[in-house]
Structure formats: structure tokens, C-alpha cells
Amino acid sequence: MAVSSGEGKAAGQDDPGRRRSARQRAGEEGLLFEGQPVSLPADVGYRGPTACTAAGITYRQLDYWARTGLVEPTVRAAHGSGSQRLYGFRDILVLKVVKRLLDTGVSLQQIRIAVHHLRARGVADLAQITLMSDGVSVYECTSPDEVIDLLQGGQGVFGIALGRVWQEVEGSLAQLPGERAEAGEGPLAEHHTDELARRRRARRTG
């Protein structure tokens, strides 16, 4: 099963020592992130090169994933020659997650199922999810206990806390240009970038 709940007990999970060790590992790897996501305007989009920079992927990957329906731009799709795709914040978050899953050896087929599952989640829900994988299957965890259970049971080889990816993408986009989805409208006013930068500073000092 590509995406399943992280619930369940494996043999030996009642061992307090193993559980403490699993909790420590989860903390060290940043898998227990708990934070409140920042709501960004739904009509703000980012062009392909900007999305690539924020997600850490190549334009070739971006184009291929859009053409095959893996991750498509939700703010504005390309229509005809010369039109520009606009990717939303959530799109870029998913692009970055896909890149990390690929880098750890998860198959594209499994990633497609995981992406489909994430699309059904609300924006606020995404920030509270940690994806765990043993390199074959992807498990969705929505609580620290589920993460620890997987680590303790030996199922979770690596994990991705989406709340932390959220912060990384937000920080990257604070330095990059965005624009409104309306046709013919140019880049966003400077105050939008300034607002993202202000929120980033507030996180650091708050």
C-alpha cells in the first residue's frame, strides 16, 4: 500500500528502551514538527523557473511532471504558445516533496499515489503530516506517536515533515518574484515579498 496510516504496532514496540530511542531519533531528524502554517493568497503564482528554484528541481523535471499530470500548476495552466504556467505555494511544496522521495529511491508509481493522496488534504492538514518511507511504500503519519511507532518497528527508514518543507519553501519564495493570476498583470508589488520576509523573520525571533 503506497500511502497508509502510520498506525499499528509491530513486534517489540512495547519495549520502553526502543521507544525512547525511536523518539530521540525522530526529534534529531526533525520528524515531530508542530507549527502553524502561514496562509498565502490563492491567486499568487510563480513561474516555472521560480518554482524550480524553490523546489530544488530542474526545469526539465518540472515540465515532465506537468505534462504527465504528476504535479500540475493550479494557479494558471499554460494555454498555447507563449503563455506561462503559474504554480501555487502548495504546488511547489508538493514538487519539493516529490524531489525528496525520488532522491531516496521511492518509485514514481508510489509517488503518484502519494501525491494524489496529498491533494485531497486541506492546506492546514498538510503542515501536520510526516511522510515516512522504507524505500518501497510511503506511510502518512499525523501524530508524533505514529512516527515513533514506525521508527520503533523498523518500517521508517526516512521521513519528511511537511511542516518543515513548508517553512523551507516559504523562506525561498520570500526572495523570489511572484505574480497575480489575472491575465496581463505583471509581477506582484514589492509589499508581497516584504510580507513573506517579515513572516520569516518573525518565525526566527518568535
Side-chain angles (χ1 to χ4, degrees), residues 163-178:
R164 291 191 178 276
V165 179
W166 186 295
Q167 283 192 340
E168 292 171 11
V169 173
E170 183 187 337
S172 297
L173 292 178
Q175 313 299 326
L176 297 169

Side-chain angles (χ1 to χ4, degrees), residues 18-111:
R18 289 185 62 185
R19 191 162 188 82
R20 281 195 300 272
S21 177
R23 180 177 290 277
Q24 181 179 358
R25 177 184 167 190
E28 291 172 350
E29 296 181 9
L31 302 179
L32 304 180
F33 176 82
E34 295 179 1
Q36 293 300 316
V38 175
S39 296
L40 299 177
D43 62 343
V44 172
Y46 302 89
R47 296 192 178 197
T50 300
C52 289
T53 299
I57 62 175
T58 67
Y59 193 84
R60 186 173 182 178
Q61 287 175 310
L62 182 80
D63 185 58
Y64 178 72
W65 295 346
R67 286 189 289 107
T68 58
L70 178 61
V71 184
E72 299 175 282
T74 58
V75 176
R76 188 174 70 207
H79 297 292
S81 178
S83 63
Q84 293 283 343
R85 301 185 187 113
L86 286 183
Y87 288 82
F89 181 91
R90 181 192 181 114
D91 302 331
I92 297 172
L93 175 74
V94 174
L95 286 169
K96 197 173 182 75
V97 169
V98 169
K99 173 66 161 55
R100 291 195 176 177
L101 290 173
L102 281 174
D103 287 348
T104 52
V106 177
S107 73
L108 196 57
Q109 179 183 4
Q110 299 296 319
I111 291 173

Side-chain angles (χ1 to χ4, degrees), residues 9 12 27 68 80 96 100 109 146 149-150 156 158 163 167 177 181-182 186 189 194 201:
K9 297 289 183 180
T68 58
K96 197 173 182 75
R100 291 195 176 177
Q109 179 183 4
E146 290 178 5
D149 284 346
L150 283 172
F158 74 93
Q167 283 192 340
E182 289 81 359
D194 291 345
R201 288 195 299 271

Side-chain angles (χ1 to χ4, degrees), residues 110-132:
Q110 299 296 319
I111 291 173
R112 284 186 182 279
I113 299 173
V115 167
H116 178 76
H117 192 75
L118 291 177
R119 282 176 181 162
R121 289 287 190 172
V123 174
D125 293 334
L126 287 178
Q128 306 304 321
I129 291 173
T130 294
L131 294 180
M132 304 290 290

